[in-house]
Amino acid sequence: MADKFHDEILNLKCDVVNMARFGRTMLNDSMIALQLQDLEMARGVKGRKVTLQEQHDSLEDRIFTMIALYQPVARDLRTLVCSLMIVQSSERIGRYGKDIANATRHLADTDTTGNFISIPHMSELVVGMIDDATLAYEQENLNTIEDMSKRDDVVDSLRTSIFRECLTYMMEDPRTITRCTHYVMISRFLERSGDHACKMAEKIHYMVTGERTEIK
Amino acid sequence: MVIHMTECKEIIQVDHVNLWYGDSLALRDVTIGMPDRQVTALIGPSGCGKSTLIRCLNRMNDLVDTCRIQGTVNFHSKNIYASDVDPVDIRRKIGMVFQRPNPFPKSIYENVSYGPRVHGIKERKQLDAIVEKSLKRAALWDEVKDRLHDSAMGLSGGQQQRLCIARTLAVEPEVILMDEPCSALDPIATAKIENLIEELKTEYCVVIVTHNMQQASRVSDYTGFMYMGELAEFGTTRQIFEAPRETLTENYITGRFG
């Protein structure tokens, strides 16, 4: 019985990793679509929302069932709690990708302002954080998430500087207001995605060590 | 091995106890404290020594001829294995409830009043009061108050077990030891005993041996995990079941054993 349960946990973890990568790829692709101003690609990202939601619902349902049927304890319990958290964060991250894809529609066929400022760089950092959190979860190894707090600080400061930079553009030239407002929103979506990576890292830390930690 | 002692006042302290049945070592250097007004659960696979340990706490092992014990078991800081200690007196202060309900083949009333009468209480009124109080504490009074003089053998298994608890309470113990008290009961009777344990701990130190890990996690404040005669880990129940320190404990409670 216990073997069956532990096999189920292993399968669940594989599927959670797949979902995390699915959400992360939605975010990453939305940024590529934005930079290439590729509306077709942006539409593709938006279309994946349904699959994302289905994965979220089915994984959540499986985790609830496993808790109800097996009453897990210790590391098994911590793994399920962490998996649930990752499923929720991945769904949010994927939806931010969808939001960025939405913005792409409004930004296409207009000149970019300041070459998107630091948004692509910010996106690289955030996607890297999500990748490393997913890897840490998959391998139950904390090495890749040790410096999560520092990386999140960088992302936060990028968001602040993007906001300031956009303000100056908007003051100089009111025609940039729509575009720059979208930039501010996008940097906010990316910053939130980075926060989700930190939340995932916190729960992975709990899963592996049994101790709760806060990444500020 | 790190043994984290309880923060509460310990009423029983087991100190470096070794125990042999003949030549075989059943307890190996066990040190553990039982806090007052808390529930301590002992878990572990069959033959790990948890029943042997609980039986040490009120000298039930004295009844086994080949049993030899080394180390001390202090109750209120006095070694219960000291030569001037009367084991009968110890067993009154440290009562025990067994796996299978074992009421005397007598009436409900007599089952509960037997202990106090042996200890010299003769007056009917006083005995009546003790019977009522004990049955109430054991959450059985409402179910049997109209048939106190019926045979105890006519009660259901769960009621018989609560009667055994009432019989233990009648002699005013300070500690209640329970050796697998629910393993012969159905889930509803088990839930009643578990609720009762929750109430009993407001007045008594309760020590419970159980095979059912969910039961240990539901009812106890502290949990000791035993393995091959040793106390492998001891801590708050929450810590043991959320984040055990020892891999052995982790493997046992998550069913990865063997």
Side-chain angles (χ1 to χ4, degrees), chain A residues 1-16 58-59 61-72 76 79-80 83 137, chain B residues 256:
Chain A
M1 206 57 186
D3 288 344
K4 182 177 161 231
F5 176 55
H6 294 128
D7 287 346
E8 272 187 53
I9 289 189
L10 288 180
N11 289 336
L12 176 88
K13 277 193 70 191
C14 283
D15 294 342
V16 170
S58 117
L59 284 169
D61 191 53
R62 263 168 73 189
I63 293 168
F64 290 163
T65 306
M66 285 166 81
I67 292 173
L69 295 185
Y70 297 100
Q71 290 114 47
D76 294 345
T79 302
L80 291 187
S83 303
Y137 169 76
Chain B
R256 282 181 171 88

Side-chain angles (χ1 to χ4, degrees), chain A residues 2 6 70-71 73-76 78 206 209-210 212, chain B residues 214 217 238 240-244 250 253-256:
Chain A
H6 294 128
Y70 297 100
Q71 290 114 47
V73 294
R75 194 176 184 124
D76 294 345
R78 303 199 306 267
Y206 174 63
T209 66
R212 261 161 251 165
Chain B
Q214 266 90 40
S217 64
R238 183 177 164 170
I240 296 283
F241 284 93
E242 189 180 346
E250 171 104 33
I253 63 175
T254 59
R256 282 181 171 88

Side-chain angles (χ1 to χ4, degrees), chain A residues 37-80:
Chain A
Q37 308 231 347
D38 185 339
L39 285 180
E40 197 54 43
M41 192 174 184
R43 259 194 295 278
V45 172
K46 282 168 67 181
R48 284 179 240 163
K49 196 186 92 178
V50 180
T51 314
L52 181 77
Q53 188 65 44
E54 281 168 1
Q55 287 187 17
H56 169 271
D57 293 351
S58 117
L59 284 169
E60 191 186 71
D61 191 53
R62 263 168 73 189
I63 293 168
F64 290 163
T65 306
M66 285 166 81
I67 292 173
L69 295 185
Y70 297 100
Q71 290 114 47
V73 294
R75 194 176 184 124
D76 294 345
L77 176 67
R78 303 199 306 267
T79 302
L80 291 187

